[in-house]
Amino acid sequence: MFTFFKSITYLGKSKFIGFGGLLCVLYLLINKKDYWTMAVFSIGIAGGDVLNGWIKNHVKRVRPENHLMETAGFSLPSGHAMVGLIFFSMAAYLIMNEIKGNSLKWAVGSGNRFRLSGPADRCQQDRYESSLSN
């Protein structure tokens, strides 16, 4: 189980979110020419990351001592959970705007709720329960 969640943690890492965000912005640029949504998407992800760092530096909550992986930085809030929530919610919004059928829109919207980056942090004992946003 730990190996599964360790691999899922990658979905919340800045490299994955940055690459996925770049793909979404390129899609909006090339296919839609929707500059407003590109700006909102980019500012939303970057702003969420900056806000996360600001909160961490002001709260300064240390990580639990019994975590299973070596990690640096403070615990609250979880960057994987917070920035992942922003990215995957915005990506789900973009996908839902492209889908025609209501049942498929419902599936994408509901599936977004069950992101696994927060539970992966729980499984790895990397954070206190109250540090996770999902």
Side-chain angles (χ1 to χ4, degrees), residues 36-112:
W36 177 250
T37 304
M38 284 172 45
V40 169
F41 194 89
S42 300
I43 292 168
I45 293 172
D49 193 45
V50 169
L51 179 62
N52 184 272
W54 184 85
I55 293 170
K56 281 182 185 271
N57 287 326
H58 281 77
V59 173
K60 296 184 179 178
R61 184 175 189 180
V62 297
R63 294 179 185 273
E65 292 181 15
N66 62 344
H67 53 83
L68 300 175
M69 291 179 60
E70 277 305 313
T71 51
F74 295 114
S75 173
L76 178 73
S78 166
H80 284 80
M82 183 173 168
V83 181
L85 171 71
I86 295 167
F87 170 72
F88 287 110
S89 296
M90 293 177 88
Y93 170 78
L94 294 177
I95 292 168
M96 289 169 61
N97 276 342
E98 297 298 315
I99 295 174
K100 302 284 187 258
N102 284 337
S103 59
L104 196 50
K105 285 183 182 184
W106 183 87
V108 169
S110 297
N112 183 48

